[in-house]
Amino acid sequence: MQQIITISQMKDKVTFGSKIGLIAATVGSAVGLGNVWRFPAETQSNGGAAFLLIYILCVFLLGIPVMLGEFSLGRGGKSSALGVYQRLTPGKKWWIAGAISTLASYCILCFYMVVAGWTLEYLFQSITGNLYEIQTAADPNMNHAFSVKMQDYIMSPWKPVVFTLVVILINLVTLLRGVKKGIEKMSNIMMPLLFILLLIFVGVSLSLDKAAEGLKFFLSPDFSKISPGVIINALGQAFFSLSLGMGILVTYASYYPRDTRLGKTAVTVSLLDLLVAFMMGLIIFPAVTTFGLTGDNLEGATLVFVTLPEIFMNMPCPQLWSTLFFLLLLVAAISSTISIAEVTVMFSQEHFRVSRTKACCIVLLPLFVLSTICSLSQGPWSGFTILGMNIFDFLDTITTNVMLPLGSIIMCIYLGWVLKPEFLQQELTNRGTLKSRLLPMVTFIIRWIAPVLITIIMISQFL
Ligand code: PFF
């Protein structure tokens, strides 16, 4: 216990340097592949505007309160996602919730690095023009041509591995530079860049021929489409997109200074995350109607690696648009991988009592092997399966469908029922110096609504 306190006292000095930097880093963590490809795909398959509406409700009614819970736990506990439980309730088994989140974050890191690697590969192939070297005469079906390219880029034995390793190296270099000089500085550059790129694409997409038709699907709700399934998917998407349940926000909030207004920060981060998802809708749906795309073309990887290149091919300067888009995706992916990795970096620093440099190596060096295994499991090693899934898909499913919700449920129970109500009150009011009108509602949601709803969602996936 003595040593834990010493380490956390030391950590009191490590904080983000500025309010903007703190917001940029947290938004960088939230904005990721979840916004860019998962959100449009979910909106398309769940009925368009009706899904968007429920999604916005989920972000406000559940996402923000649970985010506030994670922020409070992190800043109040001033420790890693696992350490906060040990510090606040020493000698009890509640650290298991932190262990689940920490383990989940590491498993996610293994395959998220691979996807970030694909993005880097597509950026590289866009810049060199290789992606658009297609013999249209020999292959009039361009969609098929891009599917073949995807097979080559993603399933080949060595190419995706090389790009994944480069992404891990970028993460390593950033994390080694520390919280202020690494994470915060990088976020301060990447986030404005991301918003500029998004704005350019929104402009281009809104000027497409059938943009109005796409906007109608995205923005005018048909309430008959709302079903329990749509609500469940919207809530799942909200948690995924806001990076809840995996210890990221607990970890980042432990670097928040004492005077940070948690309520304001949670609302700003959630609104910006929502804005990015909304802008992606404004980009994708006008293209969907203009180019006559259907459900299959919009699914995750196919949307990004097959459908979008096909769309760029139909526009003037495909290479330029493609380069800008994959740059946008890479920025979103890397700012998320860095935040996911920070969970285990901080954990290692604290629990193995090592320097930041050693902790970064402990976390990232094994990834050179683990992510390679994940990458190969999409190609040559796809025959090796667990519960009928290759390693990549297995990790994806078990983390997002089981471990993340489980981590969130236990955290809500812990905050709502185990810790004294004063804990949340102290954090949300900055030790009594602010008024928090939302406190009773946030407490009620964390105690009752969030754990019950997340449990229903988790169970309903298996029915
Ligand atoms: N919130 C980020 C995204 O939407 O991509 C990061 C993230 C979410 C990473 C969920 C991993 C995860 F399971």
Side-chain angles (χ1 to χ4, degrees), residues 36-38 40-41 280 284 288 293 296-309 311 325:
V36 179
W37 79 30
R38 202 173 186 269
M280 274 316 295
I284 296 295
V288 167
L293 308 175
D296 279 356
N297 294 320
L298 291 171
E299 240 158 60
T302 315
L303 167 71
V304 173
F305 298 126
V306 177
T307 311
L308 287 181
I311 292 177
F325 179 79

Side-chain angles (χ1 to χ4, degrees), residues 26-36 38 104-105 108-109 111-112 237-244 246 248 273 332-333 335-337 339-340 396 399-400 404:
T26 316
V27 172
S29 158
V31 171
L33 303 171
N35 306 60
V36 179
R38 202 173 186 269
S105 73
I108 287 171
L109 206 52
F111 67 83
Y112 211 95
Q237 172 63 19
F239 270 66
F240 187 97
S241 189
L242 295 174
S243 296
L244 298 174
M246 52 193 303
I248 293 181
D273 185 69
S335 54
S336 291
T337 51
S339 71
I340 307 172
D396 187 358
T399 49
T400 36
L404 294 190

Side-chain angles (χ1 to χ4, degrees), residues 134 139 141-150:
I134 288 171
D139 186 1
N141 184 352
M142 262 191 308
N143 195 324
H144 178 66
F146 283 113
S147 300
V148 173
K149 289 256 174 191
M150 184 166 110

